[in-house]
Amino acid sequence: QVQLVESGGGLVQAGGSLRLSCAASGRTLSSYAMGWFRQAPGKERKFVAAISWSGDSTYYGDSVKGRFTISRDNAKNTMYLQLNSLKPEDTAVYYCAASEILTTESGHFRSWGQGTQVTVSS
Protein backbone atom coordinates (compact mmCIF):
# COMPACT_ATOMS: atom_id res chain seq x y z
CA GLN A 1 0.00 0.00 0.00
CA VAL A 2 0.96 3.61 -0.45
CA GLN A 3 1.86 5.69 2.60
CA LEU A 4 0.57 9.25 2.70
CA VAL A 5 1.71 12.27 4.71
CA GLU A 6 -0.13 15.60 4.72
CA SER A 7 1.43 18.97 5.44
CA GLY A 8 0.67 22.65 5.08
CA GLY A 9 -2.08 23.10 7.61
CA GLY A 10 -2.14 26.00 10.04
CA LEU A 11 -4.00 28.96 11.44
CA VAL A 12 -5.28 31.55 8.98
CA GLN A 13 -7.75 34.42 9.09
CA ALA A 14 -11.02 34.28 7.23
CA GLY A 15 -10.50 35.17 3.60
CA GLY A 16 -6.97 33.83 3.63
CA SER A 17 -5.37 30.96 1.77
CA LEU A 18 -3.44 27.78 2.47
CA ARG A 19 -1.89 25.08 0.32
CA LEU A 20 -1.99 21.54 1.60
CA SER A 21 0.35 18.86 0.30
CA CYS A 22 0.07 15.09 0.38
CA ALA A 23 3.33 13.24 -0.18
CA ALA A 24 3.26 9.57 -1.10
CA SER A 25 5.80 6.82 -0.54
CA GLY A 26 5.88 3.10 -0.93
CA ARG A 27 4.14 3.09 -4.29
CA THR A 28 3.89 5.55 -7.13
CA LEU A 29 1.06 8.04 -6.76
CA SER A 30 0.14 7.72 -10.43
CA SER A 31 -1.35 4.31 -9.69
CA TYR A 32 -4.18 5.92 -7.73
CA ALA A 33 -7.02 8.35 -7.88
CA MET A 34 -6.68 10.67 -4.91
CA GLY A 35 -8.96 12.59 -2.63
CA TRP A 36 -9.19 15.05 0.22
CA PHE A 37 -11.62 14.72 3.10
CA ARG A 38 -12.10 16.79 6.23
CA GLN A 39 -13.47 16.23 9.69
CA ALA A 40 -14.55 18.97 12.06
CA PRO A 41 -14.80 18.32 15.83
CA GLY A 42 -17.87 16.26 16.64
CA LYS A 43 -18.80 15.83 12.99
CA GLU A 44 -18.50 13.10 10.39
CA ARG A 45 -15.67 13.01 7.88
CA LYS A 46 -16.80 14.72 4.67
CA PHE A 47 -15.67 14.66 1.07
CA VAL A 48 -13.78 17.74 -0.13
CA ALA A 49 -12.25 16.96 -3.53
CA ALA A 50 -10.99 14.13 -5.72
CA ILE A 51 -8.74 13.86 -8.74
CA SER A 52 -8.14 11.13 -11.31
CA TRP A 53 -4.76 9.44 -11.64
CA SER A 54 -3.93 11.61 -14.65
CA GLY A 55 -5.34 14.81 -13.18
CA ASP A 56 -7.77 15.24 -16.06
CA SER A 57 -10.89 14.78 -13.95
CA THR A 58 -11.77 16.43 -10.66
CA TYR A 59 -14.75 16.44 -8.29
CA TYR A 60 -15.52 18.92 -5.51
CA GLY A 61 -17.87 19.04 -2.58
CA ASP A 62 -20.56 21.71 -2.92
CA SER A 63 -19.27 23.75 0.00
CA VAL A 64 -15.80 24.21 -1.52
CA LYS A 65 -16.56 24.59 -5.23
CA GLY A 66 -14.97 27.72 -6.64
CA ARG A 67 -12.74 28.18 -3.59
CA PHE A 68 -10.59 25.03 -3.41
CA THR A 69 -8.49 23.48 -6.18
CA ILE A 70 -7.11 19.95 -6.19
CA SER A 71 -4.06 19.11 -8.28
CA ARG A 72 -1.29 16.55 -8.46
CA ASP A 73 2.29 16.20 -9.65
CA ASN A 74 2.91 12.51 -10.29
CA ALA A 75 6.59 13.15 -11.02
CA LYS A 76 6.93 14.45 -7.45
CA ASN A 77 4.58 11.81 -6.03
CA THR A 78 2.59 14.62 -4.44
CA MET A 79 -0.97 15.88 -4.44
CA TYR A 80 -2.10 19.37 -3.46
CA LEU A 81 -5.17 21.21 -2.24
CA GLN A 82 -5.22 24.98 -2.68
CA LEU A 83 -7.63 26.56 -0.22
CA ASN A 84 -8.74 30.11 -1.03
CA SER A 85 -11.33 32.44 0.49
CA LEU A 86 -11.27 30.41 3.66
CA LYS A 87 -14.19 30.58 6.08
CA PRO A 88 -14.40 29.64 9.77
CA GLU A 89 -16.57 26.67 8.79
CA ASP A 90 -13.62 25.26 6.83
CA THR A 91 -11.91 24.57 10.16
CA ALA A 92 -11.20 20.83 10.32
CA VAL A 93 -8.57 18.15 10.11
CA TYR A 94 -7.88 17.53 6.43
CA TYR A 95 -6.97 14.04 5.26
CA CYS A 96 -5.64 12.85 1.94
CA ALA A 97 -6.47 9.38 0.68
CA ALA A 98 -5.79 7.04 -2.22
CA SER A 99 -8.27 4.96 -4.17
CA GLU A 100 -8.15 2.57 -7.09
CA ILE A 101 -11.13 4.36 -8.64
CA LEU A 102 -12.16 7.99 -8.94
CA THR A 103 -14.94 8.43 -6.42
CA THR A 104 -16.33 10.72 -3.74
CA GLU A 105 -17.15 7.84 -1.38
CA SER A 106 -14.76 7.49 1.54
CA GLY A 107 -15.30 3.74 1.73
CA HIS A 108 -13.45 3.23 -1.54
CA PHE A 109 -10.30 4.93 -0.24
CA ARG A 110 -7.91 2.33 1.17
CA SER A 111 -4.91 4.41 2.22
CA TRP A 112 -5.16 7.48 4.44
CA GLY A 113 -2.77 10.04 5.82
CA GLN A 114 -2.66 11.12 9.45
CA GLY A 115 -4.31 14.49 8.77
CA THR A 116 -3.30 18.13 9.01
CA GLN A 117 -5.19 20.73 11.03
CA VAL A 118 -6.64 23.80 9.32
CA THR A 119 -8.03 26.49 11.59
CA VAL A 120 -9.74 29.58 10.19
CA SER A 121 -10.33 32.45 12.59
CA SER A 122 -13.11 34.97 12.10
Side-chain angles (χ1 to χ4, degrees), residues 34-48:
M34 299 294 295
W36 287 96
F37 293 78
R38 66 186 183 186
Q39 187 167 19
K43 296 187 177 181
E44 293 183 349
R45 188 172 298 186
K46 290 189 175 181
F47 169 75
V48 175

Side-chain angles (χ1 to χ4, degrees), residues 1-4 27 32-35 37 45 96-101 103 105-113:
Q1 282 198 350
V2 62
Q3 289 78 47
L4 303 172
R27 292 191 65 178
Y32 300 94
M34 299 294 295
F37 293 78
R45 188 172 298 186
C96 68
S99 172
E100 294 184 356
I101 61 172
T103 179
E105 300 295 327
S106 62
H108 288 289
F109 288 82
R110 301 303 181 194
S111 298
W112 293 80

